[in-house]
Amino acid sequence: MRGTYMLIWILIICLSQVAVQSQYYSKSLPYHPKPVKVTNLHFFLHETLGNENPTAVVIAEANIPSNDNNSSVPFATLYAFDDPLKIAPEHDSEVIGNAQGLAVYAGTNTTDAVIYADFGFTTGKFKGSSISIFSRNPTGEIEREVAVIGGRGQFKMATGFALLKSYFINATNVVIEYNVTVIHY
């Protein structure tokens, strides 16, 4: 019995020395955050529906017998889009990038959509950079706000918001003005 107690004490002393001698952490370094940048972007998204070269198409639709949701778009309709971004609302204005993503019309009594979109810039100062938006988009309203949740390139770790304004809407064309405030490092 006496040998067992002695062995236990030796193990306790050895284990305590292991804990004292080991360092499972690194040295603390002072935190020097990079300065925050705020970038304001202004552009127009041009969407074309239903002609020979659509930029948005329905890829799934719920099998609902009627459209009782008072909406021009049936509930649970999923769209994929690849819309050009232009510097002006005119159809022939310069293309500066494109918005690719998905939109699902998720409101049973409204035209609310939940959108995920990556706005990639292909020319100019922000060529190769993009911002990501994932937000509810009440498309029935003329003016609305959506969240910027990320980005890449010059917009790494971006946050912010985009103010959207429906500029032009008809049966086959939609033009939406974007004023985006991007906060990034």
Side-chain angles (χ1 to χ4, degrees):
M1 188 79 157
R2 189 168 182 196
T4 306
Y5 286 128
M6 182 63 91
L7 183 59
I8 290 173
W9 275 109
I10 291 173
L11 285 173
I12 289 172
I13 290 171
C14 288
L15 290 175
S16 66
Q17 290 301 312
V18 169
V20 169
Q21 298 298 323
S22 66
Q23 292 185 355
Y24 62 91
Y25 59 90
S26 63
K27 286 185 177 181
S28 296
L29 300 174
Y31 177 61
H32 299 292
K34 292 182 179 179
V36 173
K37 299 176 192 172
V38 177
T39 302
N40 294 304
L41 304 170
H42 181 253
F43 53 85
F44 293 83
L45 178 140
H46 291 252
E47 187 166 87
T48 305
L49 307 163
N51 67 11
E52 68 267 0
N53 293 316
T55 61
V57 295
V58 174
I59 58 173
E61 191 170 43
N63 188 12
I64 300 172
S66 68
N67 186 17
D68 293 331
N69 64 347
N70 300 320
S71 167
S72 60
V73 179
F75 170 66
T77 303
L78 178 64
Y79 282 85
F81 57 89
D82 184 2
D83 299 331
L85 305 176
K86 298 184 179 187
I87 60 171
E90 292 78 26
H91 183 68
D92 59 350
S93 60
E94 179 187 353
V95 175
I96 59 168
N98 63 328
Q100 296 177 328
L102 300 170
V104 61
Y105 282 85
T108 55
N109 292 314
T110 65
T111 55
D112 286 358
V114 177
I115 61 168
Y116 163 74
D118 184 78
F119 290 72
F121 300 98
T122 56
T123 63
K125 180 180 177 182
F126 301 113
K127 180 179 181 178
S129 299
S130 71
I131 57 173
S132 297
I133 290 178
F134 184 68
S135 190
R136 176 184 219 162
N137 183 5
T139 58
E141 297 177 15
I142 300 296
E143 295 183 5
R144 52 213 185 264
E145 181 179 314
V146 295
V148 173
I149 62 157
R152 63 183 172 83
Q154 293 184 47
F155 299 125
K156 285 179 186 161
M157 296 183 64
T159 61
F161 62 94
L163 299 174
L164 284 59
K165 184 175 183 180
S166 298
Y167 188 85
F168 175 79
I169 299 173
N170 69 15
T172 59
N173 293 294
V174 177
V175 177
I176 300 171
E177 181 179 14
Y178 276 75
N179 285 296
V180 185
T181 300
V182 183
I183 303 163
H184 56 102
Y185 299 94

